[in-house]
PDB file of all heavy atoms in Angstrom:
ATOM      1  N   GLU V   1     138.372  98.026 161.667  1.00  0.00           N
ATOM      2  CA  GLU V   1     138.225  96.648 162.130  1.00  0.00           C
ATOM      3  C   GLU V   1     136.846  96.413 162.730  1.00  0.00           C
ATOM      4  O   GLU V   1     136.270  95.328 162.574  1.00  0.00           O
ATOM      5  CB  GLU V   1     139.312  96.307 163.150  1.00  0.00           C
ATOM      6  CG  GLU V   1     139.465  94.815 163.416  1.00  0.00           C
ATOM      7  CD  GLU V   1     139.729  94.010 162.151  1.00  0.00           C
ATOM      8  OE1 GLU V   1     140.467  94.497 161.266  1.00  0.00           O
ATOM      9  OE2 GLU V   1     139.186  92.890 162.039  1.00  0.00           O
ATOM     10  N   GLY V   2     136.291  97.412 163.384  1.00  0.00           N
ATOM     11  CA  GLY V   2     134.939  97.288 163.922  1.00  0.00           C
ATOM     12  C   GLY V   2     133.916  97.125 162.823  1.00  0.00           C
ATOM     13  O   GLY V   2     132.972  96.332 162.944  1.00  0.00           O
ATOM     14  N   LEU V   3     134.082  97.869 161.731  1.00  0.00           N
ATOM     15  CA  LEU V   3     133.186  97.753 160.579  1.00  0.00           C
ATOM     16  C   LEU V   3     133.274  96.360 159.963  1.00  0.00           C
ATOM     17  O   LEU V   3     132.256  95.754 159.629  1.00  0.00           O
ATOM     18  CB  LEU V   3     133.537  98.812 159.529  1.00  0.00           C
ATOM     19  CG  LEU V   3     133.175 100.257 159.871  1.00  0.00           C
ATOM     20  CD1 LEU V   3     133.844 101.218 158.900  1.00  0.00           C
ATOM     21  CD2 LEU V   3     131.654 100.460 159.855  1.00  0.00           C
ATOM     22  N   LEU V   4     134.499  95.845 159.826  1.00  0.00           N
ATOM     23  CA  LEU V   4     134.680  94.523 159.225  1.00  0.00           C
ATOM     24  C   LEU V   4     134.114  93.423 160.120  1.00  0.00           C
ATOM     25  O   LEU V   4     133.531  92.451 159.629  1.00  0.00           O
ATOM     26  CB  LEU V   4     136.154  94.268 158.932  1.00  0.00           C
ATOM     27  CG  LEU V   4     136.732  95.079 157.772  1.00  0.00           C
ATOM     28  CD1 LEU V   4     138.243  94.918 157.698  1.00  0.00           C
ATOM     29  CD2 LEU V   4     136.089  94.679 156.454  1.00  0.00           C
ATOM     30  N   THR V   5     134.255  93.579 161.424  1.00  0.00           N
ATOM     31  CA  THR V   5     133.691  92.599 162.354  1.00  0.00           C
ATOM     32  C   THR V   5     132.164  92.600 162.266  1.00  0.00           C
ATOM     33  O   THR V   5     131.525  91.540 162.247  1.00  0.00           O
ATOM     34  CB  THR V   5     134.138  92.906 163.796  1.00  0.00           C
ATOM     35  OG1 THR V   5     135.565  92.820 163.868  1.00  0.00           O
ATOM     36  CG2 THR V   5     133.527  91.920 164.779  1.00  0.00           C
ATOM     37  N   ALA V   6     131.578  93.794 162.204  1.00  0.00           N
ATOM     38  CA  ALA V   6     130.123  93.902 162.083  1.00  0.00           C
ATOM     39  C   ALA V   6     129.649  93.344 160.753  1.00  0.00           C
ATOM     40  O   ALA V   6     128.619  92.662 160.680  1.00  0.00           O
ATOM     41  CB  ALA V   6     129.699  95.367 162.227  1.00  0.00           C
ATOM     42  N   PHE V   7     130.403  93.631 159.682  1.00  0.00           N
ATOM     43  CA  PHE V   7     130.045  93.111 158.364  1.00  0.00           C
ATOM     44  C   PHE V   7     130.112  91.591 158.346  1.00  0.00           C
ATOM     45  O   PHE V   7     129.237  90.927 157.793  1.00  0.00           O
ATOM     46  CB  PHE V   7     130.987  93.697 157.310  1.00  0.00           C
ATOM     47  CG  PHE V   7     130.787  93.122 155.933  1.00  0.00           C
ATOM     48  CD1 PHE V   7     129.686  93.476 155.169  1.00  0.00           C
ATOM     49  CD2 PHE V   7     131.691  92.207 155.400  1.00  0.00           C
ATOM     50  CE1 PHE V   7     129.490  92.937 153.903  1.00  0.00           C
ATOM     51  CE2 PHE V   7     131.512  91.672 154.146  1.00  0.00           C
ATOM     52  CZ  PHE V   7     130.411  92.036 153.392  1.00  0.00           C
ATOM     53  N   GLN V   8     131.136  91.041 158.972  1.00  0.00           N
ATOM     54  CA  GLN V   8     131.272  89.581 159.001  1.00  0.00           C
ATOM     55  C   GLN V   8     130.112  88.943 159.770  1.00  0.00           C
ATOM     56  O   GLN V   8     129.630  87.872 159.394  1.00  0.00           O
ATOM     57  CB  GLN V   8     132.602  89.167 159.625  1.00  0.00           C
ATOM     58  CG  GLN V   8     132.794  87.652 159.654  1.00  0.00           C
ATOM     59  CD  GLN V   8     134.212  87.244 159.971  1.00  0.00           C
ATOM     60  OE1 GLN V   8     135.156  87.945 159.633  1.00  0.00           O
ATOM     61  NE2 GLN V   8     134.372  86.103 160.625  1.00  0.00           N
ATOM     62  N   ALA V   9     129.670  89.603 160.838  1.00  0.00           N
ATOM     63  CA  ALA V   9     128.532  89.065 161.605  1.00  0.00           C
ATOM     64  C   ALA V   9     127.289  88.993 160.728  1.00  0.00           C
ATOM     65  O   ALA V   9     126.544  88.005 160.763  1.00  0.00           O
ATOM     66  CB  ALA V   9     128.276  89.932 162.832  1.00  0.00           C
ATOM     67  N   TRP V  10     127.062  90.049 159.904  1.00  0.00           N
ATOM     68  CA  TRP V  10     125.928  90.008 158.969  1.00  0.00           C
ATOM     69  C   TRP V  10     126.139  88.890 157.944  1.00  0.00           C
ATOM     70  O   TRP V  10     125.209  88.134 157.642  1.00  0.00           O
ATOM     71  CB  TRP V  10     125.774  91.344 158.234  1.00  0.00           C
ATOM     72  CG  TRP V  10     124.886  91.211 157.041  1.00  0.00           C
ATOM     73  CD1 TRP V  10     123.518  91.223 157.022  1.00  0.00           C
ATOM     74  CD2 TRP V  10     125.307  90.979 155.679  1.00  0.00           C
ATOM     75  NE1 TRP V  10     123.064  91.015 155.737  1.00  0.00           N
ATOM     76  CE2 TRP V  10     124.126  90.867 154.901  1.00  0.00           C
ATOM     77  CE3 TRP V  10     126.539  90.863 155.052  1.00  0.00           C
ATOM     78  CZ2 TRP V  10     124.173  90.646 153.522  1.00  0.00           C
ATOM     79  CZ3 TRP V  10     126.589  90.645 153.696  1.00  0.00           C
ATOM     80  CH2 TRP V  10     125.419  90.543 152.945  1.00  0.00           C
ATOM     81  N   ALA V  11     127.345  88.796 157.417  1.00  0.00           N
ATOM     82  CA  ALA V  11     127.644  87.797 156.387  1.00  0.00           C
ATOM     83  C   ALA V  11     127.412  86.381 156.905  1.00  0.00           C
ATOM     84  O   ALA V  11     126.899  85.518 156.191  1.00  0.00           O
ATOM     85  CB  ALA V  11     129.084  87.958 155.894  1.00  0.00           C
ATOM     86  N   GLU V  12     127.784  86.125 158.158  1.00  0.00           N
ATOM     87  CA  GLU V  12     127.584  84.798 158.738  1.00  0.00           C
ATOM     88  C   GLU V  12     126.109  84.425 158.752  1.00  0.00           C
ATOM     89  O   GLU V  12     125.737  83.274 158.546  1.00  0.00           O
ATOM     90  CB  GLU V  12     128.141  84.743 160.166  1.00  0.00           C
ATOM     91  CG  GLU V  12     129.655  84.868 160.268  1.00  0.00           C
ATOM     92  CD  GLU V  12     130.375  83.572 159.929  1.00  0.00           C
ATOM     93  OE1 GLU V  12     129.718  82.590 159.573  1.00  0.00           O
ATOM     94  OE2 GLU V  12     131.620  83.568 160.009  1.00  0.00           O
ATOM     95  N   ARG V  13     125.260  85.413 158.993  1.00  0.00           N
ATOM     96  CA  ARG V  13     123.812  85.160 159.065  1.00  0.00           C
ATOM     97  C   ARG V  13     123.166  85.060 157.693  1.00  0.00           C
ATOM     98  O   ARG V  13     122.167  84.350 157.533  1.00  0.00           O
ATOM     99  CB  ARG V  13     123.122  86.279 159.862  1.00  0.00           C
ATOM    100  CG  ARG V  13     123.477  86.340 161.328  1.00  0.00           C
ATOM    101  CD  ARG V  13     122.574  87.305 162.075  1.00  0.00           C
ATOM    102  NE  ARG V  13     122.662  88.663 161.541  1.00  0.00           N
ATOM    103  CZ  ARG V  13     123.515  89.582 161.977  1.00  0.00           C
ATOM    104  NH1 ARG V  13     124.372  89.281 162.948  1.00  0.00           N
ATOM    105  NH2 ARG V  13     123.534  90.797 161.452  1.00  0.00           N
ATOM    106  N   SER V  14     123.690  85.783 156.716  1.00  0.00           N
ATOM    107  CA  SER V  14     122.957  85.956 155.460  1.00  0.00           C
ATOM    108  C   SER V  14     123.568  85.286 154.234  1.00  0.00           C
ATOM    109  O   SER V  14     122.835  84.769 153.391  1.00  0.00           O
ATOM    110  CB  SER V  14     122.791  87.461 155.166  1.00  0.00           C
ATOM    111  OG  SER V  14     122.080  88.102 156.202  1.00  0.00           O
ATOM    112  N   ILE V  15     124.887  85.329 154.085  1.00  0.00           N
ATOM    113  CA  ILE V  15     125.506  84.791 152.881  1.00  0.00           C
ATOM    114  C   ILE V  15     125.440  83.262 152.911  1.00  0.00           C
ATOM    115  O   ILE V  15     125.980  82.629 153.820  1.00  0.00           O
ATOM    116  CB  ILE V  15     126.959  85.269 152.732  1.00  0.00           C
ATOM    117  CG1 ILE V  15     126.987  86.777 152.477  1.00  0.00           C
ATOM    118  CG2 ILE V  15     127.668  84.534 151.602  1.00  0.00           C
ATOM    119  CD1 ILE V  15     128.365  87.360 152.289  1.00  0.00           C
ATOM    120  N   GLY V  16     124.764  82.705 151.925  1.00  0.00           N
ATOM    121  CA  GLY V  16     124.583  81.264 151.870  1.00  0.00           C
ATOM    122  C   GLY V  16     123.228  80.811 152.375  1.00  0.00           C
ATOM    123  O   GLY V  16     122.988  79.608 152.474  1.00  0.00           O
ATOM    124  N   ASP V  17     122.341  81.783 152.691  1.00  0.00           N
ATOM    125  CA  ASP V  17     120.976  81.398 153.052  1.00  0.00           C
ATOM    126  C   ASP V  17     120.418  80.536 151.917  1.00  0.00           C
ATOM    127  O   ASP V  17     120.351  80.972 150.773  1.00  0.00           O
ATOM    128  CB  ASP V  17     120.113  82.644 153.249  1.00  0.00           C
ATOM    129  CG  ASP V  17     118.673  82.316 153.560  1.00  0.00           C
ATOM    130  OD1 ASP V  17     117.908  82.095 152.589  1.00  0.00           O
ATOM    131  OD2 ASP V  17     118.306  82.264 154.747  1.00  0.00           O
ATOM    132  N   GLU V  18     120.031  79.312 152.236  1.00  0.00           N
ATOM    133  CA  GLU V  18     119.697  78.332 151.193  1.00  0.00           C
ATOM    134  C   GLU V  18     118.536  78.772 150.312  1.00  0.00           C
ATOM    135  O   GLU V  18     118.600  78.703 149.087  1.00  0.00           O
ATOM    136  CB  GLU V  18     119.382  76.986 151.857  1.00  0.00           C
ATOM    137  CG  GLU V  18     119.343  75.829 150.884  1.00  0.00           C
ATOM    138  CD  GLU V  18     119.222  74.487 151.585  1.00  0.00           C
ATOM    139  OE1 GLU V  18     119.875  74.305 152.620  1.00  0.00           O
ATOM    140  OE2 GLU V  18     118.482  73.630 151.078  1.00  0.00           O
ATOM    141  N   ALA V  19     117.453  79.233 150.938  1.00  0.00           N
ATOM    142  CA  ALA V  19     116.262  79.598 150.168  1.00  0.00           C
ATOM    143  C   ALA V  19     116.520  80.830 149.308  1.00  0.00           C
ATOM    144  O   ALA V  19     116.153  80.868 148.124  1.00  0.00           O
ATOM    145  CB  ALA V  19     115.090  79.839 151.118  1.00  0.00           C
ATOM    146  N   TRP V  20     117.139  81.856 149.889  1.00  0.00           N
ATOM    147  CA  TRP V  20     117.420  83.093 149.156  1.00  0.00           C
ATOM    148  C   TRP V  20     118.372  82.820 148.000  1.00  0.00           C
ATOM    149  O   TRP V  20     118.136  83.255 146.868  1.00  0.00           O
ATOM    150  CB  TRP V  20     117.987  84.129 150.124  1.00  0.00           C
ATOM    151  CG  TRP V  20     118.462  85.399 149.486  1.00  0.00           C
ATOM    152  CD1 TRP V  20     118.072  85.926 148.287  1.00  0.00           C
ATOM    153  CD2 TRP V  20     119.425  86.307 150.013  1.00  0.00           C
ATOM    154  NE1 TRP V  20     118.729  87.102 148.036  1.00  0.00           N
ATOM    155  CE2 TRP V  20     119.570  87.368 149.085  1.00  0.00           C
ATOM    156  CE3 TRP V  20     120.181  86.330 151.194  1.00  0.00           C
ATOM    157  CZ2 TRP V  20     120.446  88.435 149.299  1.00  0.00           C
ATOM    158  CZ3 TRP V  20     121.046  87.403 151.399  1.00  0.00           C
ATOM    159  CH2 TRP V  20     121.172  88.437 150.463  1.00  0.00           C
ATOM    160  N   THR V  21     119.446  82.088 148.262  1.00  0.00           N
ATOM    161  CA  THR V  21     120.417  81.781 147.213  1.00  0.00           C
ATOM    162  C   THR V  21     119.782  80.997 146.073  1.00  0.00           C
ATOM    163  O   THR V  21     119.998  81.303 144.889  1.00  0.00           O
ATOM    164  CB  THR V  21     121.601  80.982 147.792  1.00  0.00           C
ATOM    165  OG1 THR V  21     122.204  81.734 148.850  1.00  0.00           O
ATOM    166  CG2 THR V  21     122.637  80.678 146.728  1.00  0.00           C
ATOM    167  N   ALA V  22     118.969  79.993 146.431  1.00  0.00           N
ATOM    168  CA  ALA V  22     118.320  79.175 145.400  1.00  0.00           C
ATOM    169  C   ALA V  22     117.406  80.026 144.530  1.00  0.00           C
ATOM    170  O   ALA V  22     117.356  79.848 143.306  1.00  0.00           O
ATOM    171  CB  ALA V  22     117.537  78.045 146.053  1.00  0.00           C
ATOM    172  N   LEU V  23     116.668  80.943 145.145  1.00  0.00           N
ATOM    173  CA  LEU V  23     115.766  81.802 144.378  1.00  0.00           C
ATOM    174  C   LEU V  23     116.547  82.695 143.426  1.00  0.00           C
ATOM    175  O   LEU V  23     116.179  82.841 142.252  1.00  0.00           O
ATOM    176  CB  LEU V  23     114.909  82.645 145.323  1.00  0.00           C
ATOM    177  CG  LEU V  23     113.946  83.633 144.653  1.00  0.00           C
ATOM    178  CD1 LEU V  23     112.955  82.904 143.743  1.00  0.00           C
ATOM    179  CD2 LEU V  23     113.216  84.468 145.702  1.00  0.00           C
ATOM    180  N   GLU V  24     117.613  83.312 143.917  1.00  0.00           N
ATOM    181  CA  GLU V  24     118.420  84.195 143.066  1.00  0.00           C
ATOM    182  C   GLU V  24     118.974  83.429 141.861  1.00  0.00           C
ATOM    183  O   GLU V  24     118.904  83.900 140.726  1.00  0.00           O
ATOM    184  CB  GLU V  24     119.576  84.782 143.883  1.00  0.00           C
ATOM    185  CG  GLU V  24     119.162  85.740 144.972  1.00  0.00           C
ATOM    186  CD  GLU V  24     119.088  87.184 144.531  1.00  0.00           C
ATOM    187  OE1 GLU V  24     119.131  87.453 143.308  1.00  0.00           O
ATOM    188  OE2 GLU V  24     118.991  88.053 145.408  1.00  0.00           O
ATOM    189  N   VAL V  25     119.535  82.247 142.125  1.00  0.00           N
ATOM    190  CA  VAL V  25     120.157  81.464 141.049  1.00  0.00           C
ATOM    191  C   VAL V  25     119.098  80.968 140.064  1.00  0.00           C
ATOM    192  O   VAL V  25     119.279  81.056 138.840  1.00  0.00           O
ATOM    193  CB  VAL V  25     120.946  80.276 141.633  1.00  0.00           C
ATOM    194  CG1 VAL V  25     121.414  79.337 140.522  1.00  0.00           C
ATOM    195  CG2 VAL V  25     122.145  80.782 142.435  1.00  0.00           C
ATOM    196  N   GLU V  26     117.977  80.452 140.573  1.00  0.00           N
ATOM    197  CA  GLU V  26     116.930  79.929 139.703  1.00  0.00           C
ATOM    198  C   GLU V  26     116.366  81.022 138.813  1.00  0.00           C
ATOM    199  O   GLU V  26     116.191  80.837 137.600  1.00  0.00           O
ATOM    200  CB  GLU V  26     115.812  79.312 140.549  1.00  0.00           C
ATOM    201  CG  GLU V  26     114.686  78.708 139.702  1.00  0.00           C
ATOM    202  CD  GLU V  26     113.534  78.168 140.525  1.00  0.00           C
ATOM    203  OE1 GLU V  26     113.520  78.383 141.761  1.00  0.00           O
ATOM    204  OE2 GLU V  26     112.642  77.544 139.921  1.00  0.00           O
ATOM    205  N   PHE V  27     116.093  82.185 139.400  1.00  0.00           N
ATOM    206  CA  PHE V  27     115.497  83.267 138.617  1.00  0.00           C
ATOM    207  C   PHE V  27     116.487  83.806 137.587  1.00  0.00           C
ATOM    208  O   PHE V  27     116.121  84.056 136.433  1.00  0.00           O
ATOM    209  CB  PHE V  27     115.017  84.391 139.535  1.00  0.00           C
ATOM    210  CG  PHE V  27     114.230  85.452 138.819  1.00  0.00           C
ATOM    211  CD1 PHE V  27     113.005  85.147 138.240  1.00  0.00           C
ATOM    212  CD2 PHE V  27     114.712  86.743 138.710  1.00  0.00           C
ATOM    213  CE1 PHE V  27     112.276  86.120 137.565  1.00  0.00           C
ATOM    214  CE2 PHE V  27     113.995  87.721 138.047  1.00  0.00           C
ATOM    215  CZ  PHE V  27     112.768  87.409 137.476  1.00  0.00           C
ATOM    216  N   ALA V  28     117.741  83.975 137.997  1.00  0.00           N
ATOM    217  CA  ALA V  28     118.746  84.476 137.058  1.00  0.00           C
ATOM    218  C   ALA V  28     118.954  83.504 135.908  1.00  0.00           C
ATOM    219  O   ALA V  28     119.137  83.918 134.751  1.00  0.00           O
ATOM    220  CB  ALA V  28     120.065  84.720 137.791  1.00  0.00           C
ATOM    221  N   THR V  29     118.898  82.209 136.190  1.00  0.00           N
ATOM    222  CA  THR V  29     119.056  81.196 135.139  1.00  0.00           C
ATOM    223  C   THR V  29     117.892  81.259 134.162  1.00  0.00           C
ATOM    224  O   THR V  29     118.089  81.205 132.932  1.00  0.00           O
ATOM    225  CB  THR V  29     119.142  79.785 135.756  1.00  0.00           C
ATOM    226  OG1 THR V  29     120.260  79.731 136.650  1.00  0.00           O
ATOM    227  CG2 THR V  29     119.330  78.730 134.675  1.00  0.00           C
ATOM    228  N   ASN V  30     116.683  81.396 134.683  1.00  0.00           N
ATOM    229  CA  ASN V  30     115.510  81.511 133.808  1.00  0.00           C
ATOM    230  C   ASN V  30     115.533  82.795 132.996  1.00  0.00           C
ATOM    231  O   ASN V  30     115.046  82.846 131.859  1.00  0.00           O
ATOM    232  CB  ASN V  30     114.220  81.463 134.635  1.00  0.00           C
ATOM    233  CG  ASN V  30     113.932  80.084 135.182  1.00  0.00           C
ATOM    234  OD1 ASN V  30     114.434  79.087 134.668  1.00  0.00           O
ATOM    235  ND2 ASN V  30     113.134  80.010 136.245  1.00  0.00           N
ATOM    236  N   ALA V  31     116.110  83.849 133.576  1.00  0.00           N
ATOM    237  CA  ALA V  31     116.085  85.166 132.939  1.00  0.00           C
ATOM    238  C   ALA V  31     116.896  85.225 131.658  1.00  0.00           C
ATOM    239  O   ALA V  31     116.697  86.131 130.842  1.00  0.00           O
ATOM    240  CB  ALA V  31     116.591  86.221 133.915  1.00  0.00           C
ATOM    241  N   ARG V  32     117.804  84.295 131.455  1.00  0.00           N
ATOM    242  CA  ARG V  32     118.662  84.357 130.262  1.00  0.00           C
ATOM    243  C   ARG V  32     117.845  84.261 128.982  1.00  0.00           C
ATOM    244  O   ARG V  32     118.320  84.650 127.921  1.00  0.00           O
ATOM    245  CB  ARG V  32     119.708  83.246 130.317  1.00  0.00           C
ATOM    246  CG  ARG V  32     119.174  81.856 130.042  1.00  0.00           C
ATOM    247  CD  ARG V  32     120.269  80.796 130.228  1.00  0.00           C
ATOM    248  NE  ARG V  32     119.846  79.475 129.778  1.00  0.00           N
ATOM    249  CZ  ARG V  32     119.102  78.639 130.483  1.00  0.00           C
ATOM    250  NH1 ARG V  32     118.676  78.998 131.696  1.00  0.00           N
ATOM    251  NH2 ARG V  32     118.768  77.455 130.004  1.00  0.00           N
ATOM    252  N   ARG V  33     116.627  83.772 129.060  1.00  0.00           N
ATOM    253  CA  ARG V  33     115.792  83.628 127.866  1.00  0.00           C
ATOM    254  C   ARG V  33     114.967  84.873 127.570  1.00  0.00           C
ATOM    255  O   ARG V  33     114.319  84.951 126.536  1.00  0.00           O
ATOM    256  CB  ARG V  33     114.837  82.433 128.044  1.00  0.00           C
ATOM    257  CG  ARG V  33     115.532  81.105 128.318  1.00  0.00           C
ATOM    258  CD  ARG V  33     114.527  79.971 128.337  1.00  0.00           C
ATOM    259  NE  ARG V  33     115.138  78.687 128.651  1.00  0.00           N
ATOM    260  CZ  ARG V  33     115.267  78.189 129.871  1.00  0.00           C
ATOM    261  NH1 ARG V  33     114.802  78.881 130.909  1.00  0.00           N
ATOM    262  NH2 ARG V  33     115.837  77.021 130.086  1.00  0.00           N
ATOM    263  N   ASP V  34     114.945  85.826 128.501  1.00  0.00           N
ATOM    264  CA  ASP V  34     114.091  87.005 128.349  1.00  0.00           C
ATOM    265  C   ASP V  34     114.945  88.270 128.429  1.00  0.00           C
ATOM    266  O   ASP V  34     115.412  88.634 129.510  1.00  0.00           O
ATOM    267  CB  ASP V  34     113.029  87.008 129.456  1.00  0.00           C
ATOM    268  CG  ASP V  34     111.996  88.105 129.262  1.00  0.00           C
ATOM    269  OD1 ASP V  34     112.346  89.179 128.746  1.00  0.00           O
ATOM    270  OD2 ASP V  34     110.826  87.882 129.633  1.00  0.00           O
ATOM    271  N   PRO V  35     115.161  88.949 127.290  1.00  0.00           N
ATOM    272  CA  PRO V  35     116.009  90.149 127.291  1.00  0.00           C
ATOM    273  C   PRO V  35     115.525  91.226 128.254  1.00  0.00           C
ATOM    274  O   PRO V  35     116.347  91.920 128.872  1.00  0.00           O
ATOM    275  CB  PRO V  35     115.936  90.635 125.836  1.00  0.00           C
ATOM    276  CG  PRO V  35     115.598  89.410 125.048  1.00  0.00           C
ATOM    277  CD  PRO V  35     114.704  88.598 125.927  1.00  0.00           C
ATOM    278  N   HIS V  36     114.204  91.374 128.401  1.00  0.00           N
ATOM    279  CA  HIS V  36     113.669  92.404 129.301  1.00  0.00           C
ATOM    280  C   HIS V  36     114.048  92.094 130.753  1.00  0.00           C
ATOM    281  O   HIS V  36     114.518  92.975 131.487  1.00  0.00           O
ATOM    282  CB  HIS V  36     112.153  92.496 129.167  1.00  0.00           C
ATOM    283  CG  HIS V  36     111.521  93.381 130.200  1.00  0.00           C
ATOM    284  ND1 HIS V  36     111.646  94.751 130.180  1.00  0.00           N
ATOM    285  CD2 HIS V  36     110.779  93.078 131.309  1.00  0.00           C
ATOM    286  CE1 HIS V  36     111.002  95.266 131.224  1.00  0.00           C
ATOM    287  NE2 HIS V  36     110.473  94.271 131.917  1.00  0.00           N
TER     288      HIS V  36
END
């Protein structure tokens, strides 16, 4: 339970970060055209 509480604290800070999420999605979407 201590591990899950600590993990949730990290998740609250990081999961859904607008700039990071947008970059990941934008780059992955562009990558579909390049097999490499």
Side-chain angles (χ1 to χ4, degrees):
E1 195 56 38
L3 288 168
L4 288 171
T5 299
F7 174 74
Q8 181 167 329
W10 165 82
E12 293 282 2
R13 293 190 301 269
S14 300
I15 293 181
D17 177 275
E18 194 172 320
W20 174 24
T21 303
L23 178 60
E24 293 270 12
V25 171
E26 181 183 8
F27 188 65
T29 301
N30 288 339
R32 74 185 189 279
R33 303 186 182 91
D34 187 327
H36 171 72

